Amino acid sequence: MTKYLLYSIISIIMCLKLHATDFGTKEEAENMLERAVNILKLDKSFALELFAEGEGGFIYKDLYTLCYHIDSGTMYSHPTLTGLSREKSVSEGENIADLIVKNASEGKVNSVNVKVPRFTTGDTKIFDKTLLVTKVEDLACAVGFYKK
């Protein structure tokens, strides 16, 4: 019952979904990551479902929450890459999963700069992106914003 109430509240708050071609800001990414951490602490399975589906505002403009399982290196949530293994998480010669896991700290948010496409728009052009990274239990999670 609690998770359905939580889902309803999030849906109401985030019912206005902007077009994915808009760039999200650092402040919006920080806010999304904070909400993601809070929901993960309440109900991890439910939170990962929300993130992967983009429900409750977890896909907003070109922002989204992603989480890697630290031990297995499997992507647990992503709008298009859920299930991706750590070995295949490479862009521009950098292993993104390793960067996220290495920089994730419980109770702290760190920044990681990467070069990746904008997955929510289908654009294959490579952009500079800053990932805000944290650790929640056995997950390394991030929300990133693109530099315009």
Side-chain angles (χ1 to χ4, degrees):
M1 179 71 169
T2 303
K3 71 179 179 181
Y4 296 111
L5 178 60
L6 179 63
Y7 178 72
S8 297
I9 292 168
I10 293 169
S11 294
I12 291 167
I13 292 170
M14 300 305 298
C15 66
L16 177 62
K17 191 172 183 179
L18 298 179
H19 193 272
T21 59
D22 294 334
F23 281 89
T25 65
K26 177 181 180 183
E27 292 76 20
E28 291 167 330
E30 290 170 336
N31 180 276
M32 183 179 289
L33 185 60
E34 182 179 339
R35 288 186 307 109
V37 168
N38 290 332
I39 293 171
L40 281 165
K41 289 179 179 179
L42 288 173
D43 188 333
K44 184 166 69 171
S45 295
F46 180 64
L48 292 172
E49 286 178 34
L50 288 177
F51 305 161
E53 295 170 6
E55 296 296 324
F58 286 102
I59 294 179
Y60 176 74
K61 298 182 181 178
D62 60 357
L63 303 175
Y64 52 87
T65 304
L66 63 94
C67 294
Y68 279 96
H69 183 256
I70 292 171
D71 292 336
S72 71
T74 302
M75 175 95 70
Y76 273 16
S77 65
H78 188 280
T80 59
L81 301 174
T82 297
L84 185 73
S85 70
R86 177 179 283 156
E87 295 78 28
K88 294 185 179 182
S89 181
V90 177
S91 181
E92 297 292 296
E94 294 246 36
N95 188 300
I96 307 299
D98 287 345
L99 288 172
I100 291 170
V101 169
K102 182 175 111 181
N103 288 284
S105 300
E106 191 93 31
K108 185 177 178 188
V109 176
N110 295 311
S111 296
V112 176
N113 294 314
V114 297
K115 294 180 180 290
V116 293
R118 290 176 71 202
F119 292 106
T120 55
T121 64
D123 190 347
T124 57
K125 179 181 171 191
I126 300 295
F127 290 85
D128 291 320
K129 184 175 188 177
T130 299
L131 298 173
L132 304 176
V133 180
T134 194
K135 179 181 175 189
V136 180
E137 297 177 12
D138 60 347
L139 298 173
C141 298
V143 175
F145 58 95
Y146 294 91
K147 298 174 186 175
K148 298 175 190 170

